[in-house]
């Protein structure tokens, strides 16, 4: 009997031990899972949100080689050059340049010699600021000190001289990168551009000027003397890939890299991505997005939204996640705003719609809208109380505040509020769609919206 | 209701957060999932839009303060020039770093300086790569500043190469913000308006302790029934609820009805609410005046609103001048002969008139008229003879100063001054009495 009891106790203890071990193991499993998910999020978020830094390049091998050649000639052979990289927003200009520079920096000679100056049109809004920034980036503040220069050209020449004095035999090549190049064009006399292109044509220091811009007509904006000093070398990045390549990009962007620490999870994840890319619903979403805009930034926004839903309980992305992300990404903002208006404000919008229909888009004023609204109230409305004019005016001013209605010109202080001419910034289709979605819309109002000239 | 949960933050904090933001759980959970863990990157810029009082500012502040995320909160209406805005951001960054350090004077003129000083400020704080959030409230004011401010803020993460996210809050949709040459598109998030159920829930939460929750809920129901068609702004409704509750409780206090006698309570409060719509809602009278009115039992008497017509007392000839000006503005010239002469002929309707019959002058606004016409009409409507003395002309000028008439055209016009009448028919009727 005692033996039986002892063996029972031993068995019980053994069971407890194994269950404890398995609990620890499962905790370890979920623990590593949590670490793993955190790691996944970190990698993918860096990829999608910091695109300029780590993005892989797709379909731009030709441009890459061209730019690399150009920069090699400056850094290794000492030639001066200038080029413009032109492409719509989000086509990867900065990323391309960063990649080329990274590859160049692998050579020791370049790493030690090349001086880089990064200017941005959004930050350096006039030439004085730009010059100070150049001085700062070349670390020449001490050399310049308190000197006063007669002109921009003198200053720039002094800076380049100063660079040369540091190195006895030859001068270091300088690379000027001008981001948002089209904003520099609007500075007074285009002094900075003129001087930079001038020294890239004539000076002994090897200088390369690379401009990045999203405007295709950038050459027309340059002054004649600036344009003549520019080498007219243009590199175009035009997002020219088709849908199959787009799908390939989708797969590659969403997959985890080979160096990921948790191998089985990475395999599961990549397998899931493959599965997603074959799913019809996901292909439809991507097709829709591809037709709307080809650039990779919108794809990144969509993928980022989908990735943000990944948690320990939900470790793999599903097609439903992508659909939800797509819906979130493509909401019509004006329809959303109309959804939240009060019934009185909706009536005013419908009155304006009718005025637009009758008078074919001519501008109207508040008095006319109020008149139209009164016609509706007097004839048919059972649901709406006849509000006083100031109450209607307050609702109308709310619409003005939301910028759904805009005055044609800035109203002067002395103009009467009721008679300022305005126009509606919604079109008929948007209004009708919004009315369909409007919660608890009274039927009178729906009918009034749908009927056309029968009210006159 | 979705339960807020996130691996990076303790469950107790999240539970507390959830209690602070009723009816906004899904927006908060979306924001939490986008923000991710503290060191992870997020969208470089987020644009949140929604109606007035849909909780954008409140939710953002509550979220950032409860979870103690490093952030800077600036209102763009308060700091309305770029210099003020940038300096304020830098000052807030400095003051949050270490309390012992003195906040030295920062001077930041351009965005270039801002980027440089920002990098220094972030380095000096012990942030350890945690995401810093810069929240700009009333972001529509950014459009009025220099053209580079808005695109630069949207790209701040790239320009400074740090882990920072800029959040813009506004009522106006993103399409009206986008600059002509394009910019870095932010992630747009919509805060939906509160439905009537949500409004009831939120308004009923602030019930005074002496009365039961059901009683207050019934009151809110009645209030929403009157005001919901006109206004859905939560702040306005809260204001109206607070002002009118004492009147609603009057029958219960006086002992005429008990809490459940809804019909009596409704009869008591309904005309009161209707009057509130014409006065307090329109800010014609102040809330203090309204409360005083409630305490005077019985007939409220004449409510003197801001645009009441009894304020202005005009002298005898000025009244006639004003009426004459109104007639001159709103009647077309060709009808003058018919109305104001003793013997007039018939008016023949020309083709021109038939085409333009529908557009009434009352819809288009007042038309300018020359001084002579004003005087002509004045002479015909005043019974006794009026001499064109300087008295009359000075009264015209004083009407212009009172902004009842307005001068149209320049001072140096050769054919004499032209005027326009800027008052409405109700005002004229009040004056003519």
């Amino acid at each position: 009997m005692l033996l039986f009891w002892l063996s029972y106790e031993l068995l019980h203890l053994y069971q407890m031990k194994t269950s404890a071990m398995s609990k620890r193991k499962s905790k370890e499993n979920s623990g590593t899972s949590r670490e793993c998910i955190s790691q996944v999020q970190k990698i993918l978020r860096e990829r999608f949100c910091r695109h300029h830094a780590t993005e892989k390049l797709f379909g731009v091998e030709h441009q890459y080689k061209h730019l690399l050649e150009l920069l090699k000639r400056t850094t290794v052979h000492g030639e001066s050059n200038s080029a413009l990289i032109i492409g719509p927003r989000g086509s990867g200009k900065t990323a391309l340049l960063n990649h080329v520079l990274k590859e160049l920096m692998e050579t020791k000679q370049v790493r030690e010699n090349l001086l880089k100056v990064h200017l941005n049109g959004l930050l350096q809004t006039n030439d004085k600021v730009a010059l100070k920034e150049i001085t700062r980036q070349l670390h020449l503040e001490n050399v310049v000190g308190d000197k006063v220069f007669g002109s921009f050209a003198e200053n720039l020449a002094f800076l380049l001289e100063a660079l040369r004095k540091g190195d006895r035999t030859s001068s270091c090549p300088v690379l000027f990168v001008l981001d948002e190049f089209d904003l520099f064009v609007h500075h007074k006399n285009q002094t900075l551009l003129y001087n930079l292109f001038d020294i890239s044509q004539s000076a002994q220091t090897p200088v390369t000027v690379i401009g990045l811009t999203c405007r295709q007509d950038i050459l027309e904006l340059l002054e004649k003397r600036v344009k003549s000093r520019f080498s007219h070398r243009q590199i175009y990045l035009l997002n020219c890939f088709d849908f199959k390549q787009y799908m390939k990009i989708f797969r590659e962007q969403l997959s985890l890299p080979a160096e990921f620490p948790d191998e089985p999870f990475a395999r599961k994840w990549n397998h899931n991505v493959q599965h997603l890319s074959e799913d019809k619903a996901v292909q439809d979403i991507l097709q829709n997005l591809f037709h709307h805009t080809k650039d990779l930034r919108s794809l990144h926004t969509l993928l980022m939204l989908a990735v943000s839903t990944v948690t320990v309980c939900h470790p793999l992305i599903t097609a439903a996640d992508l659909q939800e992300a797509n819906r979130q990404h493509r909401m019509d903002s004006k329809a959303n705003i109309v959804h939240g208006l009060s019934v009185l404000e909706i009536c005013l919008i419908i009155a304006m719609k009718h005025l637009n229909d009758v008078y074919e888009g001519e501008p109207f004023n508040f008095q006319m809208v109020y008149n139209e609204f009164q016609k509706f109230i007097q004839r048919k409305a059972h649901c709406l109380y006849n509000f006083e004019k100031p109450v209607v005016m307050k609702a109308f001013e709310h619409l003005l505040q939301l910028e759904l209605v805009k005055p044609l010109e800035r109203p002067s202080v002395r103009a009467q509020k009721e008679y300022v001419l305005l126009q509606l910034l919604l079109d008929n289709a948007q209004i009708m769609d919004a009315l369909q979605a409007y919660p608890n819309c009274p039927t009178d109002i729906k009918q009034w919206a749908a009927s056309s000239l029968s009210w006159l | 209701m979705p339960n807020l949960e996130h691996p990076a933050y303790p469950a107790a904090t999240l539970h507390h957060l959830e209690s602070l933001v009723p009816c906004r759980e899904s927006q908060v959970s979306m924001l939490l999932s986008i923000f991710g863990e503290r060191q992870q990157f997020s969208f470089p810029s987020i644009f949140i839009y929604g109606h007035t009082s849909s909780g954008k500012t409140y939710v953002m502040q509550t979220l950032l303060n409860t979870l103690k995320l490093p952030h800077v909160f600036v209102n763009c209406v308060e700091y309305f020039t770029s210099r003020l805005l940038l300096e304020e951001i830098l000052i807030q960054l400095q003051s949050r770093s270490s309390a012992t350090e003195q906040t030295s004077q920062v001077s930041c003129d351009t965005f270039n300086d801002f980027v440089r000083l920002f990098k220094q400020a972030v380095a000096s704080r012990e942030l350890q790569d945690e995401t810093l959030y810069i929240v700009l409230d009333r972001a529509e004011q950014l459009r009025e500043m220099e053209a580079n401010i808005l695109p630069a803020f949207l790209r701040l993460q790239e320009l400074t190469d740090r882990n920072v996210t800029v959040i813009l809050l506004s009522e106006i949709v993103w399409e009206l913000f986008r600059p002509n040459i394009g910019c870095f598109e932010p992630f747009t998030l919509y805060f939906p308006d509160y439905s009537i159920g949500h409004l009831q829930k939120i308004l009923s939460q602030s019930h005074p302790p002496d009365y039961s929750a059901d009683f207050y809920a019934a009151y809110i129901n009645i209030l929403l029934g009157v005001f919901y068609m006109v206004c859905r702004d939560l702040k306005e409704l809260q204001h109206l609820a607070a002002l009118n509750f004492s009147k609603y409780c009057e029958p219960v206090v006086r002992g005429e009805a008990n809490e459940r006698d809804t019909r009596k309570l409704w009869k008591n409060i309904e005309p009161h609410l209707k009057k509130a719509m014409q006065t307090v809602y329109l800010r014609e009278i102040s809330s203090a005046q309204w409360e005083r009115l409630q305490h005077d039992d019985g007939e409220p008497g004449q409510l003197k609103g801001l645009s009441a017509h009894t304020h202005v007392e005009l002298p005898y000839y000025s009244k006639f001048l004003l009426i004459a000006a109104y007639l001159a503005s709103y009647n077309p010239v060709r009808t003058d002969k018919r109305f104001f002469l003793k013997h007039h002929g018939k008016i023949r309707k020309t083709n021109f008139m038939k085409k333009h019959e529908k557009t009434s002058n009352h819809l288009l606004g007042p038309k300018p008229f020359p001084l002579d016409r004003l005087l002509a009409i004045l002479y015909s409507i005043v019974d006794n003879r009026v001499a064109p003395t300087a008295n009359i002309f000075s009264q015209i000028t004083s009407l212009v100063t009172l902004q009842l008439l307005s001068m149209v055209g320049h001072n140096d016009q050769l054919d004499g001054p032209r005027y326009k009448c800027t008052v409405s028919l109700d005002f004229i009727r009040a004056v003519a009495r």
Side-chain angles (χ1 to χ4, degrees), chain A residues 170-186:
Chain A
S170 65
S171 43
C172 302
V174 186
L175 172 66
F176 286 95
V177 176
L178 277 72
D179 221 334
E180 311 277 346
F181 187 79
D182 43 292
L183 292 178
F184 284 107
V185 158
H186 296 300

Side-chain angles (χ1 to χ4, degrees), chain B residues 182-307:
Chain B
C183 61
F184 186 92
E185 297 279 321
F187 168 63
T188 47
L189 181 61
Y190 174 56
F191 263 45
D193 45 292
Y194 292 115
S195 70
I196 192 164
H198 287 162
L199 281 176
Q200 262 170 342
K201 182 166 168 224
I202 296 177
L203 287 171
S204 315
Q205 275 186 349
S206 49
H207 71 93
D210 334 333
Y211 296 93
S212 70
D214 291 332
F215 181 64
Y216 197 72
Y219 164 62
I220 293 294
N221 239 336
I222 295 178
L223 184 80
L224 283 178
V226 175
F227 282 100
Y228 188 66
M229 288 233 155
V230 173
C231 154
R232 290 193 183 178
D233 191 344
L234 182 62
K235 283 195 259 234
E236 293 253 15
L237 292 172
Q238 274 176 336
H239 181 63
L240 287 165
L243 278 183
N244 293 309
F245 188 55
S246 54
K247 182 80 182 178
Y248 183 71
C249 301
E250 256 182 24
V252 178
V253 162
R254 278 189 294 204
E256 290 171 355
N258 68 357
E259 289 196 358
R260 263 180 294 268
D261 220 344
T262 39
R263 199 167 149 270
K264 242 196 191 152
L265 292 167
W266 159 249
K267 264 174 66 175
N268 178 40
I269 193 72
E270 192 215 355
H272 196 76
L273 286 178
K274 289 246 165 17
K275 189 165 249 133
M277 194 185 311
Q278 294 160 14
T279 50
V280 173
Y281 174 64
L282 296 174
R283 306 289 190 277
E284 289 273 321
I285 66 174
S286 72
S287 322
Q289 278 175 300
W290 181 252
E291 288 186 329
R292 224 177 306 134
L293 220 61
Q294 289 187 4
H295 286 311
D296 310 335
D297 260 343
E299 265 54 20
Q302 194 67 348
L303 270 178
K304 284 215 175 153
L306 279 176
S307 38

Side-chain angles (χ1 to χ4, degrees), chain A residues 87-214:
Chain A
R89 292 216 179 255
S91 49
K93 307 181 282 290
T94 319
L96 177 70
L97 190 62
N98 286 342
H99 267 268
V100 170
L101 284 177
K102 205 165 75 160
E103 182 169 329
L104 266 185
M105 286 304 187
E106 286 165 10
T107 350
K108 187 166 182 298
Q109 182 196 11
V110 175
R111 204 175 33 237
E112 290 177 357
N113 280 345
L114 181 65
L115 292 165
K116 286 187 282 185
V117 175
H118 285 271
L119 298 176
N120 193 315
L122 287 176
L123 297 179
Q124 282 88 39
T125 41
N126 69 29
D127 292 334
K128 249 180 29 181
V129 179
L131 199 54
K132 278 222 297 259
E133 185 66 24
I134 296 176
T135 320
R136 204 178 295 127
Q137 290 197 14
L138 289 174
H139 304 295
L140 288 176
E141 291 106 319
N142 300 331
V143 178
V144 169
D146 286 325
K147 283 206 177 51
V148 175
F149 294 99
S151 75
F152 194 97
E154 275 180 30
N155 199 342
L156 201 54
F158 178 79
L159 288 176
L160 292 176
E161 261 309 299
L163 285 179
R164 197 189 329 195
K165 292 225 178 82
D167 199 5
R168 271 110 28 219
T169 48
S170 65
S171 43
C172 302
V174 186
L175 172 66
F176 286 95
V177 176
L178 277 72
D179 221 334
E180 311 277 346
F181 187 79
D182 43 292
L183 292 178
F184 284 107
V185 158
H186 296 300
H187 293 181
K188 185 161 175 258
N189 287 343
Q190 299 183 358
T191 335
L192 175 71
L193 294 182
Y194 174 72
N195 283 299
L196 282 180
F197 284 143
D198 201 30
I199 57 173
S200 82
Q201 291 272 345
S202 52
Q204 294 90 336
T205 339
V207 159
T208 303
V209 181
I210 308 261
L212 292 92
T213 177
C214 64

